[in-house]
Amino acid sequence: TQAASLALLGAIAGRLAASRVAAFTAQLLWLVNCGLAPALGWSSIYNQILSAFFLLLAFYLLLLYAETGRRAFWIGQWVAFALGLGALETNVVYPALAAVYALLFARKLLKKVLPMFLLSALAMWAHYRFAPPPPGGAYAPHVDARVFDTAWTYWTWALGPVRFGSFGWAPSGLSVALTALITVGAAALIVWSLRRREYAGLFGLAWFAIVVAPYLALPDHKMDYYLAVPSIGLAIAGAWAVECARLYGAAWKIAAALPLVAYLGTSLP
C-alpha cells in the first residue's frame, strides 16, 4: 500500500511542479518523515497508511480530471473519496484539499467540489451518532485554546529536529535552532508563492494544515504516527522548493538547501 502511495505522490508532485526531480524529491521527503515510520511498523495503525493511499488516489484522479475533463476520472475520485472514509474517519477533510486545489489552480472546478462536503458532513454525523467520542480520557475531544499548542507540537515534530533532540541525539538548543530555520524557510516559501503566483509549495503547506486539523481536538493524545498523512504536504512543499532552487539563483539554492539539510539530517536517523 505504501509503495502505491509513493507512486501516486510522485505523480502528483511531478504534475504540480512540472518536474520529475520534484516527483522523486517528494517521495524521498515523505519516506524519511518521522511520522511515517511508526505507521509502517505497527499493524494496528495500518489505517493511517490506507488513509494516505485513498487521499492520494482521489487527489490524483482529480488532477487527471482537471487535465482531461474525462468523466471517468471524476467518478473515480468520488469512489476513492468514499472508500477512504471507510479507511479512516479523518478522510472527511478530502473536500477541503480539493477545494484549496481548485482555488489555487482550477477555479472552474470549485462548484463541482462543493457537493463533496455534504458527504463529509453525512459521514461525520454517522460517526458521532453511532460511535460517539468518550466524555473523558485521552480520546475525549477538546476544542479550546490547547489546539494552538497541539498544532505547534505537531509542526515541530513533523520537521524532525525536535524529535531528534528528544532522543538525546542533539543539544536542545541546536534542535530548536534547526526547527526555527525550517519554519522560517516555510514562511519564506509562502511569501514567495504569493508574490510569484506559483502555488505548488503553498498547496503542500495547506495539505499539512488541513489533514492535521482533526487531531488538534485531541490534546491529551498526541502521537507521532498522526503525522503520517499530513507530512505528505511537507514533502510536496519541500519538493517544490528544491525545484525552485534548480531554476533560480544562488540565493534560492542556499535558502532551499539549509532547511532541507536540517530536515534530512534529523529525520533520517
Side-chain angles (χ1 to χ4, degrees), residues 1 23 28 42 45 52 84 91 115 148 219 241 251 256:
T1 306
L28 174 64
W42 191 359
I45 51 174
N91 277 41
F148 299 104

Side-chain angles (χ1 to χ4, degrees), residues 90-115:
T90 55
N91 277 41
V92 295
V93 302
Y94 174 74
L97 293 175
V100 170
Y101 168 77
L103 284 171
L104 295 177
F105 297 100
R107 294 287 179 91
K108 63 181 181 180
L109 293 181
L110 186 59
K111 290 184 178 179
K112 293 179 68 68
V113 166
L114 293 180

Side-chain angles (χ1 to χ4, degrees), residues 11-12 15 44 57 72 139 158 163 191 195 207 227 246 249 264:
I12 289 168
R15 280 173 165 77
S44 67
L57 178 59
Y139 287 98
R163 297 293 282 168
V191 174
R195 288 187 62 183
W207 178 297
L227 293 168
R246 290 179 62 241
L264 289 174

